[in-house]
Each structure stands twice: as structure tokens, then as C-alpha cells.
């Protein structure tokens, strides 16, 4: 199409995204119909910060409604770095968790790395709920949750733990600086704020993050595709370092 405009984001690789009018076109995979079904459920039940699923175009690309907004940036946007921003992100995790828990996943769903519906005690998760996959409006509110390609059944608390990991953050000051915090954050205050937004106590949230870090490390060392890129960039080792830091920081 002559009216296509490349769309570059903060991901680990160029995924060939383009905008056409008020839509986004992206290469599809065998999992894309299941992702479209999931997004349709979220939109229908009021979670409008997920992209609108619009099927597939004549080239077989997935078509999504365009969501306007700003990325997290470096340093992270001022609102994100406040305790109020940490609360907002905890609340987002809670709202998304509740919306996903109600998703009637088809038994024949096909995801990128697994197939089927959640087992008892599981729910479909976003799978990569980091600040890099969120959009913010001009007032500093979360306006969009992007990139659902890693959605799959799993621990219903995985997304909450993942977002807390990078929001509190559960990592040392050097890693936090690289992730967008220009000065060492007040982690106890941010932990309390995020937990309150998520409907948890800090004592309940800490083991959720530890569990999420372990699961991320497992995926990074046992899967191919995008996970190979993660390994090649040493992010599985960074995860292990974050785990060690987290254990020391919150052991009391």
C-alpha cells in the first residue's frame, strides 16, 4: 500500500509494523486469530486500552485499531516515576487481571508457544506487560496496552508480577537507571503504592514478583523465537541478577 508509514517502537526487534490510516498492520502468525479473539473479548467487556481487533488484510497481516499515545521514554515520563504513577500501574494490572480472568478461552486456542485454554487455577495473560508495551496520554494516564503476541495461559498473577518488577523496580540501581530511572527510586514507597493499586499488600506482592522472575528465566532458557533474541542479549542473565538482588533486598 502506498499510504503505509513504518511504525517503530521500543521492542527488541523490528517487527514490520506499519500504519495505514487509523489502523496498524503487523505480520501475523498461527497464534494471531486467538489474539484477535482475546482482544475482542477485552474490548467488548470494557477494557478499551487494548487495541481493537480488525481481522486481517489482503496480505494476511493482522489489522488493529491505532491507539494514540506516548511511550515510556528515557528517562521514564515523570508521572511513572511518582508514587501516584506506581499506584496507577498497579491498578492497571488489577483491571487487566480481572478482565483476563473472565475470558472464555476456546479449547482449541493456539498461542505462540502453547495451545489450548487455561488449566484450573490459570488464566490467559498478556505475557509481556512492561512499560515498553504501554502508551500514556498527555495527562500521564495509561492509554494503551500493546503487543499481545506473547499472550498465553499461565499464572494469573504473572502480568502483575512482571509490571511490578519494572515499576518498583525489583533490580539494583544500575539496572534501574538503564531502565529509565535517572535517580535511585524509593522502592519501599513504590512497592506500597503499586501493591495498593493492585489490591495487594507489599508482603503479598513480593513473592509474586519472585515467581514471575523465575518463570521469565525459565521461558528465556527453554524457548526459541523472540526468546532466542532475549538470550542473545543476555537478558536471562539480567533476570537472574534481578532475582538475586530481589531476594537480598526483600528477605526481611
Amino acid at each position: 500500500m502506498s499510504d503505509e508509514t513504518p511504525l517503530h517502537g521500543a521492542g527488541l526487534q523490528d517487527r514490520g509494523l506499519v500504519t495505514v490510516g487509523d489502523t496498524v498492520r503487523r505480520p501475523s502468525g498461527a497464534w494471531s486469530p486467538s489474539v484477535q479473539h482475546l482482544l475482542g473479548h477485552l474490548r467488548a467487556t470494557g477494557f478499551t486500552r487494548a487495541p481493537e481487533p480488525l481481522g486481517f488484510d489482503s496480505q494476511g497481516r493482522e489489522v488493529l485499531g491505532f491507539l494514540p499515545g506516548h511511550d515510556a521514554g528515557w528517562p521514564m515520563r515523570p508521572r511513572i516515576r511518582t508514587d501516584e504513577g506506581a499506584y496507577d500501574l498497579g491498578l492497571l494490572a488489577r483491571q487487566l487481571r480481572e478482565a483476563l480472568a473472565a475470558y472464555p478461552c476456546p479449547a482449541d486456542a493456539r498461542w505462540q508457544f502453547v495451545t489450548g485454554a487455561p488449566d484450573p487455577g490459570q488464566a490467559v495473560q498478556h505475557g509481556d506487560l512492561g512499560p515498553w508495551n504501554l502508551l500514556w496520554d498527555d495527562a500521564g494516564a495509561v492509554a494503551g496496552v500493546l503487543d499481545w503476541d506473547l499472550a498465553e495461559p499461565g499464572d494469573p498473577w504473572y502480568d502483575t508480577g512482571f509490571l511490578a518488577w519494572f515499576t518498583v523496580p525489583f533490580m539494583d540501581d544500575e539496572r534501574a537507571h538503564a531502565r529509565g530511572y535517572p535517580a535511585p527510586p524509593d522502592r519501599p514507597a513504590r512497592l506500597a503504592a503499586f501493591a495498593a493499586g493492585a489490591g495487594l499488600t507489599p508482603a503479598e506482592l513480593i513473592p509474586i514478583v519472585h515467581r514471575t522472575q523465575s518463570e521469565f528465566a525459565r521461558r528465556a532458557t527453554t524457548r526459541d523465537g523472540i526468546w532466542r533474541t532475549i538470550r542473545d542479549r543476555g537478558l536471562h542473565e539480567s533476570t537472574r541478577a534481578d532475582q538475586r538482588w530481589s531476594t537480598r533486598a526483600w528477605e526481611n
Side-chain angles (χ1 to χ4, degrees), residues 19-24 54 64-67:
T19 59
V20 179
D22 59 356
T23 69
V24 174
L54 298 172
L64 302 165
F66 178 79
L67 291 175

Side-chain angles (χ1 to χ4, degrees), residues 41-121:
H41 161 80
L42 292 173
R43 299 278 304 188
T45 55
F47 192 86
T48 55
R49 285 172 287 184
E52 182 182 7
L54 298 172
F56 301 86
D57 67 11
S58 60
Q59 299 180 41
R61 297 177 300 185
E62 186 177 8
V63 184
L64 302 165
F66 178 79
L67 291 175
H70 310 285
D71 63 22
W74 199 105
M76 282 191 179
R77 296 187 175 278
R79 175 70 180 184
I80 308 173
R81 290 182 273 125
T82 66
D83 293 347
E84 292 79 7
Y87 176 90
D88 291 344
L89 289 174
L91 180 61
L92 170 70
R94 179 179 182 176
Q95 293 168 336
L96 182 57
R97 184 177 69 248
E98 292 172 349
L100 290 172
Y103 173 54
C105 182
D108 61 352
R110 182 171 181 180
W111 310 102
Q112 189 166 174
F113 294 97
V114 300
T115 58
D119 291 330

Side-chain angles (χ1 to χ4, degrees), residues 72-83 85-87 89-90 129-132 134 136 162-187 189-191 194 242:
W74 199 105
M76 282 191 179
R77 296 187 175 278
R79 175 70 180 184
I80 308 173
R81 290 182 273 125
T82 66
D83 293 347
Y87 176 90
L89 289 174
L129 193 65
W132 50 89
L134 302 179
W136 279 264
F162 198 90
L163 190 54
W165 177 4
F166 293 94
T167 297
V168 172
F170 280 66
M171 59 190 66
D172 65 26
D173 288 345
E174 182 178 357
R175 276 266 290 158
H177 185 271
R179 282 293 182 179
Y181 296 88
D186 183 346
R187 292 178 181 82
R190 293 181 64 77
L191 173 69
F194 186 100
D242 290 351

Side-chain angles (χ1 to χ4, degrees), residues 224-244:
D224 289 323
I226 184 61
W227 296 100
R228 181 177 294 278
T229 302
I230 287 171
R231 285 196 299 278
D232 290 345
R233 298 197 178 192
L235 298 183
H236 61 306
E237 296 295 347
S238 298
T239 298
R240 293 190 177 109
D242 290 351
Q243 286 181 292
R244 292 191 293 270

